[in-house]
Amino acid sequence: MSKLIGRRMRYRNLIGGIAAAMLLCAQAQAAPAAPQGNDAIYMYRGADRDRQLVDKAAQEGKVVIYTSLATKESTPLASAFEKKYGIKVELWRANSDQVVQRAITEGKGKRYTVDVMETNGPEVEMMAREKLLSEFYTPYLADLPASAIAPSRLWVSDRLNFFVVAFNTNKYKRSDMPATYDGFLDPKWKGQIGIEATDTEWMAAVIKKMGTEKGMQFFQKLAAMRPDMRKGHILLASMVGAGEVPVALTLYNAEVESLKRTGQPIDWVPVDPVVGRPQGIGVAKNAPHPYAALLFADYVLSPEGQALLASMGRVPSSHKIKTALNDFPFVMAYPDVVLDENDKWQKLWDSLFMAR
């Protein structure tokens, strides 16, 4: 899982360090020529759109996906698409930083191999800023909340992560959990709560929701509680399941669901304000298989694809899928804010929680 510490700095370093990787690309086989006319394909809205898309995607025969979605979920998703359309899916799965690096390296080297990128929202926004993505039309955009569509319209959110409160069910009940984060300032919670050590975007979104004065007061008081700081959402979730950290304030509900389904004594509750973190999908501007790229995006955003994600414990973006995984009010941590304001929020986070 990609972390927020130094994300903006890593973005600068990533762009600055592309040259060495480009040299390796140049030494490899000749890059295929850039395809022409993908934007027209992506934005076509004629009455024959769906039939044309399926037929021409079948002629292309495959689609190449770069994703950070876990293999246990990305593989079933790819298999379902292959079974439905008979189009081979080539998956390359890595963490979100690696997805960005590979996509940008290949783009700079004019090696057009990828068709679809699917990863964390801030990383998809990085690729959009590098002009690697194109706007695309799909009828399923109508099923998404406005907040799921990037301001640039170069990518959309296909799934969400929510920062929720997780607790060990051998130690606490759902009814023990406060309705708002302010409730965790009660002295009885001291020594009982943990926070993931890189969740600056959660803090930023909560402060923006509460208002600067109230939000700053809350986080100063929370820092005084000296919560257990653990790096890694999966690690922290495992520690909650083991009872080592009884309550965690910033876990992703999809990850808690995964542990819960294996029988671990862990559950979660949405505590106000719930912060949503978009995961995004975009089609490559120079995709070698543009019809298949668009068809895959269509499938992922369709009720069928969204229901499949939900069945695997992921939180679908679509309004059409009813699930307890997103049945509560929330605010969004916008990727452009995460990238552009990271230095400001990182400095505050470090002063509050990491300077001990």
Side-chain angles (χ1 to χ4, degrees):
M1 186 69 66
S2 177
K3 305 304 179 187
L4 263 290
I5 290 180
R7 190 190 294 273
R8 191 177 179 192
M9 181 176 294
R10 290 207 313 273
Y11 178 40
R12 296 193 193 107
N13 292 340
L14 174 65
I15 303 305
I18 288 296
M22 285 176 61
L23 179 60
L24 294 177
C25 287
Q27 294 170 343
Q29 65 183 30
Q36 301 296 318
N38 282 358
D39 288 346
I41 294 170
Y42 293 152
M43 297 304 295
Y44 184 65
R45 301 191 185 204
D48 62 341
R49 174 193 182 272
D50 293 350
R51 182 73 270 156
Q52 177 176 271
L53 192 58
V54 171
D55 291 345
K56 294 193 175 182
Q59 292 172 19
E60 292 174 343
K62 74 173 182 179
V63 61
V64 178
I65 316 295
Y66 291 175
T67 184
S68 62
L69 182 63
T71 302
K72 62 184 172 59
E73 290 132 359
S74 57
T75 298
L77 185 65
S79 297
F81 178 80
E82 287 181 340
K83 183 177 180 180
K84 184 177 181 71
Y85 294 109
I87 297 168
K88 179 177 176 56
V89 177
E90 291 187 5
L91 276 177
W92 184 76
R93 194 270 166 190
N95 66 44
S96 56
D97 287 341
Q98 291 172 314
V99 169
V100 173
Q101 183 172 16
R102 179 167 180 170
I104 293 178
T105 298
E106 291 181 346
K108 296 285 188 181
K110 300 188 185 302
R111 287 189 53 79
Y112 305 119
T113 58
V114 63
D115 298 305
V116 178
M117 289 84 145
E118 200 278 352
T119 188
N120 299 339
E123 279 74 9
V124 184
E125 177 65 20
M126 287 181 191
M127 292 184 281
R129 293 182 180 193
E130 290 302 308
K131 304 187 186 306
L132 300 179
L133 305 178
S134 281
E135 182 180 357
F136 66 96
Y137 166 76
T138 170
Y140 304 115
L141 291 177
D143 299 340
L144 303 178
S147 60
I149 302 173
S152 66
R153 304 191 69 86
L154 294 177
W155 60 275
V156 301
S157 175
D158 58 332
R159 55 192 173 98
L160 299 166
N161 277 325
F162 288 111
F163 290 98
V164 297
V165 172
F167 59 96
N168 183 283
T169 56
N170 291 333
K171 296 179 179 291
Y172 291 104
K173 303 185 296 293
R174 292 177 67 89
S175 58
D176 294 326
M177 298 297 108
T180 69
Y181 277 107
D182 288 311
F184 287 105
L185 299 180
D186 189 307
K188 71 180 181 180
W189 292 107
K190 192 164 187 178
Q192 298 296 299
I193 57 177
I195 296 175
E196 205 283 331
T198 67
D199 282 336
T200 55
E201 61 183 320
W202 167 72
M203 178 187 68
V206 171
I207 289 177
K208 287 176 182 289
K209 173 63 176 177
M210 289 184 173
T212 301
E213 183 176 355
K214 181 180 178 181
M216 287 295 296
Q217 290 176 355
F218 166 74
F219 277 100
Q220 288 166 353
K221 292 176 181 178
L222 182 62
M225 299 283 288
R226 297 185 68 82
D228 195 346
M229 306 299 292
R230 299 286 179 164
K231 187 174 182 179
H233 292 95
I234 294 175
L235 170 64
L236 183 55
S238 298
M239 295 182 75
V240 173
E244 297 177 51
V245 178
V247 178
L249 303 188
T250 62
L251 286 182
Y252 298 141
N253 60 341
E255 291 178 353
V256 179
E257 278 291 315
S258 293
L259 293 180
K260 182 179 174 182
R261 293 180 185 200
T262 66
Q264 292 199 36
I266 189 172
D267 204 351
W268 61 274
V269 291
V271 172
D272 185 59
V274 179
V275 175
R277 186 174 191 266
Q279 310 295 107
I281 188 169
V283 293
K285 184 176 184 64
N286 293 308
H289 312 102
Y291 289 100
L294 184 55
L295 185 63
F296 186 83
D298 259 23
Y299 179 74
V300 171
L301 296 170
S302 71
E304 181 179 343
Q306 293 281 285
L308 179 56
L309 287 172
S311 73
M312 297 185 289
R314 293 291 174 173
V315 185
S317 295
S318 175
H319 287 312
K320 289 293 182 74
I321 308 304
K322 303 302 180 184
T323 169
L325 295 171
N326 61 8
D327 189 19
F328 41 77
F330 61 90
V331 296
M332 292 295 290
Y334 289 101
D336 55 341
V337 173
V338 172
L339 291 176
D340 297 336
E341 299 183 9
N342 183 72
D343 292 350
K344 165 188 170 181
W345 296 111
Q346 190 64 57
K347 183 178 179 180
L348 176 61
W349 179 268
D350 289 346
S351 69
L352 289 172
F353 295 110
M354 309 307 293
R356 293 182 178 178

